[in-house]
């Protein structure tokens, strides 16, 4: 509830308007609190589970005997469990929480029908649990990004339908006269994901297509779930939190429009570049290559818009946890997207395809960009939901530096190792024995495990701070946001 205005405030209409805005946002935040916490707690739990599977899979790459006596933890199962846990457990739960919190705020609409979200969250997490258990039991479909057995996916469909219905209701009853750029991305993502997932499930699992069409559908889904689901949600968060924390508008509305529509037009075809040289029609590959290069347009446009918004405010990175994670993610989006376009060059694809380079690229996008943006978003949202600040700025600092340095080591090591691996695979005369190439890459696989340990330290710091915040009462007089340093004027805008 907003406090009663003072006499001075009553004599200043602008101050009164500000108080009214804060009161309205506080009411909206309060209405989203319970379901948002449900999804965020679920996401943090899945993040820890997924991290454990990641470490197991990574260690098995250079030490196959590690946990070798456990059938359910063979590399094929642990790796698939890691992928699906972090994608559908951590990432989607975090995306749901951030997306509907942003949608409620930007629509200026209190949460209606929260039961829909609770039921959806329950169905989604039961579905993910069944899927992961099924993978560990050996029921995986063995189709990349779609490994969940068929008995788990109907629950995910029900969950998503409920969340989609909720989003339409919230947008329909919103009071805002304008549609902010973040809303474009969220609404589009909420439409694109069920389209991608349902088509892929039907054509790959329930009524499988035949021949090379399967490969086309698989990469169409795997690539587009990154570009048309996680990317729009991540960009929506960047477009909201960047100007919000800095207290100034985004640089250009028109660049935002161009970035959104060019992403919508070009990304859909880009996934085909993963099949260059494969048994698919040449014109399909060429279309994929052309679309991949056209993707430079939205990437550069978004990068310019974000950079120009930051100009003159880079000093704020010293203070704001939210801004530090968000900017790290935004810069990573630009770099990994340009790298993705370069992977469509035929001669370069001959070197990098089927190597660790592709693995590094996927982690650069999903972790350096999307996950870091979600961390930054959670650091902003949680104090508004809980009406108290993060207990420890030191924990946030450990979280940031451990994950940032860890993922840089991860991407750099596997990228370089993947290039060496690619040249070796194409040089049969020098490397006639495949195991020699495996030995060649072993040092890079070790660097991957070291980086994974560092990232795990960051995740534990985040989970401890998150839990600490949930269970401890707010400190008296602690009204300023948790910052790395003063001034306390940062992130005060509600």
């Amino acid at each position: 509830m907003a406090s009663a205005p003072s006499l001075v405030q009553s004599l200043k209409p602008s101050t009164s308007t500000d108080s009214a805005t804060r009161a309205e946002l506080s009411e909206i935040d309060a209405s989203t609190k319970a379901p948002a916490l449900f999804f965020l707690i679920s996401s943090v739990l899945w993040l820890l589970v997924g991290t454990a599977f990641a470490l197991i899979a990574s260690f098995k790459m250079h030490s196959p005997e590690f946990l070798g006596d456990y059938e359910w933890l063979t590399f094929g199962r642990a790796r698939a469990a890691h992928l699906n846990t972090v994608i559908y457990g951590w990432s989607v739960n975090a995306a749901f929480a951030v997306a509907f919190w942003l949608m409620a705020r930007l629509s200026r609409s209190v949460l209606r029908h929260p039961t829909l979200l609770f039921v959806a969250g329950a169905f989604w997490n039961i579905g993910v649990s069944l899927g992961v258990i099924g993978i560990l039991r050996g029921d995986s479909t063995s189709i990349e990004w779609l490994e969940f057995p068929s008995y788990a996916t109907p629950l995910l469909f029900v969950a998503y339908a409920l969340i989609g219905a909720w989003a339409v209701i919230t947008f329909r009853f919103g009071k805002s006269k304008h549609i902010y750029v973040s809303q474009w991305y969220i609404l589009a993502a909420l439409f694109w994901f069920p389209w991608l997932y349902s088509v892929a499930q039907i054509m790959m699992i329930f009524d499988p297509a035949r021949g090379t069409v399967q490969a086309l559908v698989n990469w169409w889904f795997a690539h587009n779930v990154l570009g048309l689901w996680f990317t729009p949600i991540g960009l929506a968060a960047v477009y909201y939190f960047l100007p919000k924390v800095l207290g100034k508008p985004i640089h250009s509305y028109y660049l935002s429009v161009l970035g959104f529509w060019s992403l919508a037009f070009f990304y859909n075809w880009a996934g085909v570049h993963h099949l260059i040289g494969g048994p698919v029609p040449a014109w399909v590959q060429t279309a994929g290559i052309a679309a991949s290069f056209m993707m430079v347009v939205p990437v550069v446009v978004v990068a310019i818009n974000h950079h120009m918004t930051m100009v003159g405010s880079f000093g704020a990175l010293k203070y704001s946890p939210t801004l530090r994670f968000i900017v790290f993610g935004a810069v990573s989006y630009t770099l990994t997207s340009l790298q993705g376009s370069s992977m469509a060059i035929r001669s370069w694809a001959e070197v990098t395809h089927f190597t660790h380079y592709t693995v590094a690229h996927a982690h650069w996008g999903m972790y350096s960009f999307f996950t870091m943006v979600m961390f930054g978003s959670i650091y902003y949202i949680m104090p508004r939901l809980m009406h108290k600040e993060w207990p420890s700025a030191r924990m946030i600092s450990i979280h940031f530096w451990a994950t940032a340095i860890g993922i840089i080591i991860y991407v750099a090591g596997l990228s370089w190792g993947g290039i060496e691996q690619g040249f070796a695979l194409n040089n049969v005369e020098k490397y006639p024995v495949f195991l020699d190439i495996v030995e060649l890459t072993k040092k890079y696989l070790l660097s991957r495990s070291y980086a994974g340990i560092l990232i795990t330290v960051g995740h534990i710091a985040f989970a401890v701070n998150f839990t600490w915040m949930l269970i401890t009462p707010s400190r008296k007089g602690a009204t300023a946001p948790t910052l790395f340093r003063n001034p306390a004027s940062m992130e005060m805008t509600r």
Side-chain angles (χ1 to χ4, degrees), residues 53-66:
F53 283 128
L55 281 179
I56 293 170
S58 182
F59 273 79
K60 282 177 175 290
M61 289 289 283
H62 50 76
S63 305
E65 71 281 359
F66 179 66

Side-chain angles (χ1 to χ4, degrees), residues 185 235 239 255 258-264 266-267 293-304 333:
Y185 281 105
L235 290 180
Y239 269 114
L255 286 179
L258 179 59
F260 173 80
W261 284 109
S262 51
L263 174 79
F266 299 132
Y267 202 95
F293 280 101
M294 290 307 294
M295 273 301 298
V296 171
V297 175
V299 171
V300 171
V301 162
V302 168
I304 292 172
Y333 168 71

Side-chain angles (χ1 to χ4, degrees), residues 127-262:
V128 174
S129 302
L130 274 178
V132 173
I133 292 170
I135 289 172
L136 297 176
R137 289 181 66 244
D139 293 342
S140 166
T141 63
S142 301
I143 299 172
E144 182 128 18
W145 291 74
L146 294 167
E147 286 93 344
F148 280 168
S150 57
Y151 51 75
T153 50
L155 291 171
L156 305 183
F157 275 118
V158 173
Y160 200 88
L162 293 173
I163 288 175
W166 174 88
V168 172
I169 291 170
T170 301
F171 183 71
R172 168 68 179 81
F173 288 97
K175 300 175 188 173
S176 177
K177 297 178 181 177
H178 307 284
I179 303 177
Y180 190 65
V181 57
S182 296
Q183 289 171 289
W184 309 343
Y185 281 105
I186 292 171
L187 288 170
L190 290 171
F191 166 75
W192 283 330
F193 182 71
W195 168 53
L196 294 168
Y197 197 67
S198 58
V199 170
Q201 284 289 330
I202 292 169
M203 295 191 69
M204 299 295 294
I205 308 293
F206 295 105
D207 187 16
R210 297 178 185 278
T212 56
V213 176
Q214 283 195 5
L216 282 170
V217 175
N218 194 183
W219 272 113
W220 173 79
F221 171 75
H223 205 257
N224 283 335
V225 78
L226 289 173
L228 297 181
W229 166 240
F230 291 116
T231 295
I233 297 292
L235 290 180
V238 176
Y239 269 114
Y240 180 82
F241 290 111
L242 203 61
K244 191 73 173 176
V245 173
L246 296 177
K248 61 182 183 183
I250 201 73
H251 171 67
S252 169
Y253 169 82
Y254 297 103
L255 286 179
S256 305
V257 174
L258 179 59
F260 173 80
W261 284 109
S262 51

